[in-house]
Amino acid sequence: MMKGLSWLGSEWGKVIRTPKTVIALLGIMLVPALYGGTYLWAFWDPYAHIEKIPVAVVNEDQPVTYKGETFAIGNDLVEEFKKDHSFEWHFIGREEADRGLLNNNYYFGIMIPKDFSKRATTLTENQPTPLELIVKSNEGLNYTVAKIGESGVEKIRGQLSEQLTRTYTEAIFNSLEQLKDGMQEASKGAGDLHTGMTELASGTDRLLSEVKGRQASLKQLDEGAASLQRAAAQLASGAAKLEGGVSQAAAGMSAFGKGLSDARAGGDQLAQGLKQISTGSDGVNALIAQLGSETPELAENKTYAALTAAGEQVSGGLKKLSASLDKLNKGMADLTGSFGKLEAGVKQADDNLKKLSSGASELSKGAASLKNGVHQLRLGWDTLISGLDKLAAGERKLVDGSSKLSRALADGAEDLKSLHASQPLYEMMANPVRLKEEPVTTIPNYGTGMAPFFISISLYVGALLLSTVFPLRETASPPPSGWSWFLSKYVILAIVSLFQVIILCIVLIGIVGIEPRNTIDFGWFTLFISLVFMAVIQLLVTVMDNVGRFIGIILLVLQLTATEGTFPVELIPEGLQAVHSFLPITYTVQGLRTILSTGEYQSLRIDLIALLLFGILSILLTIIALTFARKRIFGRTSKEEQPNTA
């Protein structure tokens, strides 16, 4: 035991007496503070300084007039940008902005197109056009800043959307106020309409009853019109035939009248001739008598006597004939007068019959038209009845509908009364869902969130670099045991770990500004992490020397990617997820998060157990490896030196 302690004292004394080693160890003590402290200090709260990020703003919007109001949303948005100090805004033209983005003068640019305000006026149209803000990101210059810019623009877009929604909501509720009054009036009107429709439906039912009651009479009228049309047709036919016969009779009477006139003229001529003949006969008789007077002897003459007798007989006959002819002429004169009257009557009858025939024809046509009209009237009457039936059914529906409409309008107006338009309501409608954050745990800034990861990495890097300046395999003299050999190295590592942690805690708490939930817990857990890493690196280098350092670097790379230092393990490739649970930094990050932010000490116990297993296993394997190495190296050397001593 004393021999072992003496050997340890001599080993540690040699380390202290070697300035180069001491200086190297002092330098290694600063590595975690330099690595972790510098990084966290540089990126402690980067989001608190994004107002220094240059951003180009191009406003090409053209104001428009809509319903008597001028919209210049682009100018309004620029004014909002000027009030907002989230970024370093540069209000420039498009060409300058494009050139600045290409020259890396701006991280991103916001372009307000010329139809920005015009699109806002389409919100009431059937197909409104959304407003568009064009964001040109220069992700090649800095991807993170580009994403920060997108988030900032999204916030501005949300504010603009909320403002537009609030404006339109106010307009809608103003319209609803007018609608409320209109619905009240409409409800009253619908009630009047219902009353009127009820009366109209009742009147239509009465009209339908009356119309149906006249349907049989209209059928009789239709049949009578058909009979009248047939009778009128027969009358027109008979009148035409009668008018033809009278016309023929009138023509015959005209010929007869002419013959009668001719006969009368002949009678007058005959009477005149008879008178002349009678006068001549009388002259002949006078001459015969004179001849008898002058010649008495003729008295005895039979011939003379016969001549005298014949002359007297002829004269008497002529007188009788003249008298008869006078009677005949007188009769013919009377006949002519009567015939003239008859002929005038026949002509008048012919004219009247022509009128009768024309009237009968028109009557026939009228009767036919009447028949057609009455028939059409009957058909129309049937159609009227059918239409009135449908009308009555429709009116009954209208009565029901108008009643429902009246109640619905009254209910709607009553519901609208419960709407109380106000600015808080407009704001609620514009942003109905508010996020009420109830964080389980909080961290003050980006640096605190990243501290667990970079503290772990800095301590691991400190342990790895220590293996390059402090020999973990060589000793000044042969160790008495594997255990002594282990302690001679690990105690130095532990001392370096202690100072690394002290310096790191002073820098992080005193300079950077980290605020752990419990400073003591933070200190001892950080020291525990460092001791575990020292044990792991000691195992790798002790067993495999430079190959072990290389494996330590590979482990560093894996722990940079496969742990939850930056992103959740669910977001990394499945291959890296498979080794996530087998890496010590996984548990150091979780444990530091517990102490710095979450306070979930139940999970800290699991992390402590996992790290303790890593540490104990590394120490045991190191002791075993050193024990075998001592037997292999120093045992062989002792055997080689024994003959020389003898």
Side-chain angles (χ1 to χ4, degrees):
M1 182 67 177
M2 294 301 296
K3 182 180 178 181
L5 292 176
S6 175
W7 181 84
L8 287 173
S10 65
E11 284 292 319
W12 293 335
K14 185 178 179 181
V15 172
I16 296 172
R17 291 191 299 270
T18 307
K20 290 177 61 175
T21 303
V22 173
I23 293 173
L25 292 177
L26 292 175
I28 293 298
M29 292 177 185
L30 298 174
V31 168
L34 289 174
Y35 185 84
T38 303
Y39 187 90
L40 292 176
W41 173 63
F43 300 103
W44 184 245
D45 196 4
Y47 295 101
H49 305 289
I50 61 174
E51 73 278 359
K52 298 178 181 179
I53 297 176
V55 178
V57 178
V58 178
N59 180 22
E60 296 180 338
D61 182 42
Q62 297 178 356
V64 295
T65 301
Y66 179 71
K67 292 184 178 181
E69 184 177 354
T70 301
F71 289 83
I73 301 178
N75 294 335
D76 297 339
L77 186 57
V78 168
E79 292 300 321
E80 290 297 323
F81 283 147
K82 290 179 179 179
K83 296 176 183 178
D84 182 74
H85 300 290
S86 298
F87 299 97
E88 183 181 309
W89 307 108
H90 293 264
F91 303 97
I92 54 179
R94 178 178 287 271
E95 293 183 1
E96 185 178 352
D98 292 339
R99 186 168 55 253
L101 289 170
L102 292 175
N103 295 333
N104 295 333
N105 295 329
Y106 307 108
Y107 286 93
F108 63 93
I110 301 175
M111 313 297 172
I112 306 174
K114 62 181 180 180
D115 61 345
F116 197 66
S117 295
K118 184 178 180 181
R119 286 171 178 251
T121 62
T122 65
L123 293 179
T124 57
E125 296 180 358
N126 291 332
Q127 293 182 341
T129 306
L131 282 72
E132 289 183 351
L133 277 178
I134 302 172
V135 180
K136 289 187 175 182
S137 302
N138 192 352
E139 295 183 354
L141 180 59
N142 191 297
Y143 181 80
T144 302
V145 172
K147 293 305 175 184
I148 291 174
E150 290 181 6
S151 299
V153 173
E154 177 62 24
K155 178 181 178 182
I156 295 171
R157 186 202 65 80
Q159 292 174 348
L160 179 61
S161 299
E162 183 177 343
Q163 179 180 352
L164 288 175
T165 304
R166 185 165 56 249
T167 300
Y168 278 94
T169 300
E170 184 174 357
I172 290 172
F173 272 89
N174 289 336
S175 300
L176 287 177
E177 286 291 331
Q178 299 176 0
L179 178 63
K180 178 178 68 176
D181 298 335
M183 288 185 71
Q184 290 175 343
E185 293 295 327
S187 175
K188 181 180 178 182
D192 296 339
L193 175 64
H194 174 67
T195 301
M197 288 303 304
T198 302
E199 295 176 354
L200 177 62
S202 177
T204 301
D205 290 338
R206 290 195 300 271
L207 176 62
L208 181 60
S209 177
E210 291 292 330
V211 170
K212 286 183 177 179
R214 299 293 186 271
Q215 194 173 18
S217 300
L218 193 61
K219 181 180 180 181
Q220 294 177 356
L221 178 63
D222 185 24
E223 293 172 351
S227 300
L228 176 63
Q229 187 268 338
R230 291 192 296 271
Q234 293 175 357
L235 175 63
S237 176
K241 292 178 180 178
L242 179 61
E243 188 268 338
V246 172
S247 294
Q248 291 178 356
M253 291 189 72
S254 177
F256 178 77
K258 183 177 180 183
L260 184 62
S261 296
D262 292 341
R264 181 182 175 188
D268 289 341
Q269 290 178 357
L270 181 60
Q272 188 68 28
L274 284 175
K275 286 182 181 181
Q276 291 177 355
I277 292 172
S278 179
T279 301
S281 178
D282 289 340
V284 170
N285 289 330
L287 287 176
I288 291 173
Q290 185 178 359
L291 180 58
S293 299
E294 292 177 353
T295 310
E297 65 269 9
L298 291 176
E300 297 291 339
N301 189 314
K302 292 180 180 179
T303 302
Y304 177 75
L307 181 59
T308 303
E312 289 178 353
Q313 188 176 358
V314 168
S315 179
L318 287 173
K319 287 180 180 179
K320 290 180 180 179
L321 181 59
S322 179
S324 297
L325 186 59
D326 288 339
K327 290 180 180 180
L328 177 61
N329 286 337
K330 182 179 179 182
M332 290 183 67
D334 294 338
L335 179 61
T336 299
S338 298
F339 184 78
K341 292 179 180 179
L342 177 62
E343 185 179 19
V346 170
K347 287 183 178 180
Q348 185 176 3
D350 184 37
D351 292 339
N352 291 335
L353 283 174
K354 286 181 178 179
K355 293 179 180 179
L356 175 63
S357 177
S358 176
S361 178
E362 293 297 327
L363 176 63
S364 177
K365 292 178 181 179
S369 299
L370 176 63
K371 175 198 171 186
N372 293 332
V374 170
H375 187 66
Q376 292 297 323
L377 176 61
R378 181 185 175 186
L379 294 178
W381 200 268
D382 293 339
T383 303
L384 174 62
I385 291 173
S386 176
L388 285 174
D389 283 330
K390 294 179 180 179
L391 177 62
E395 286 175 349
R396 285 189 290 271
K397 292 181 179 179
L398 284 175
V399 169
D400 295 337
S402 62
S403 177
K404 294 178 180 177
L405 175 62
S406 178
R407 291 194 300 271
L409 288 172
D411 294 341
E414 191 64 28
D415 291 339
L416 286 175
K417 286 182 180 179
S418 63
L419 293 177
H420 303 288
S422 62
Q423 197 64 31
L425 176 62
Y426 304 149
E427 293 177 358
M428 190 277 290
M429 294 295 292
N431 187 11
V433 180
R434 306 293 176 89
L435 290 179
K436 183 180 180 182
E437 296 185 5
E438 294 183 356
V440 178
T441 58
T442 60
I443 57 175
N445 46 49
Y446 179 82
T448 303
M450 295 299 295
F453 181 61
F454 282 99
I455 290 173
S456 300
I457 293 297
S458 66
L459 292 174
Y460 186 88
V461 170
L464 188 61
L465 289 178
L466 178 59
S467 71
T468 64
V469 299
F470 180 69
L472 298 179
R473 294 163 60 93
E474 297 81 5
T475 59
S477 59
S481 64
W483 171 254
S484 299
W485 194 353
F486 166 75
L487 285 178
S488 67
K489 303 301 180 182
Y490 191 73
V491 169
I492 300 298
L493 300 181
I495 293 171
V496 174
S497 292
L498 177 61
F499 282 99
Q500 281 183 342
V501 170
I502 291 173
I503 296 171
L504 179 62
C505 289
I506 291 173
V507 171
L508 293 181
I509 297 175
I511 298 175
V512 177
I514 196 169
E515 297 178 355
R517 285 175 170 265
N518 188 301
T519 304
I520 296 176
D521 290 343
F522 177 69
W524 71 255
F525 187 71
T526 305
L527 177 60
F528 177 65
I529 292 172
S530 180
L531 293 174
V532 171
F533 288 160
M534 289 296 184
V536 172
I537 297 301
Q538 183 183 14
L539 171 64
L540 295 174
V541 176
T542 299
V543 175
M544 292 175 282
D545 197 16
N546 287 330
V547 175
R549 292 186 180 92
F550 180 71
I551 294 175
I553 294 173
I554 293 176
L555 283 175
L556 174 63
V557 173
L558 286 175
Q559 292 177 123
L560 286 171
T561 56
T563 57
E564 293 182 305
T566 53
F567 295 100
V569 66
E570 290 80 8
L571 301 182
I572 63 177
E574 292 184 0
L576 294 176
Q577 291 184 32
V579 300
H580 168 74
S581 300
F582 301 98
L583 300 174
I585 288 185
T586 297
Y587 304 99
T588 63
V589 169
Q590 292 176 174
L592 286 170
R593 282 178 177 164
T594 298
I595 294 172
L596 290 175
S597 56
T598 66
E600 294 291 333
Y601 281 86
Q602 183 64 36
S603 63
L604 180 61
R605 295 187 183 93
I606 299 174
D607 299 325
L608 284 171
I609 293 172
L611 291 172
L612 190 60
L613 289 175
F614 277 108
I616 292 174
L617 184 61
S618 298
I619 291 172
L620 290 177
L621 291 175
T622 302
I623 294 172
I624 293 171
L626 289 174
T627 300
F628 280 105
R630 176 185 172 282
K631 291 180 180 180
R632 186 180 68 252
I633 298 173
F634 297 106
R636 184 178 59 211
T637 303
S638 299
K639 291 179 181 180
E640 291 176 353
E641 291 177 350
Q642 284 177 2
N644 296 333
T645 305

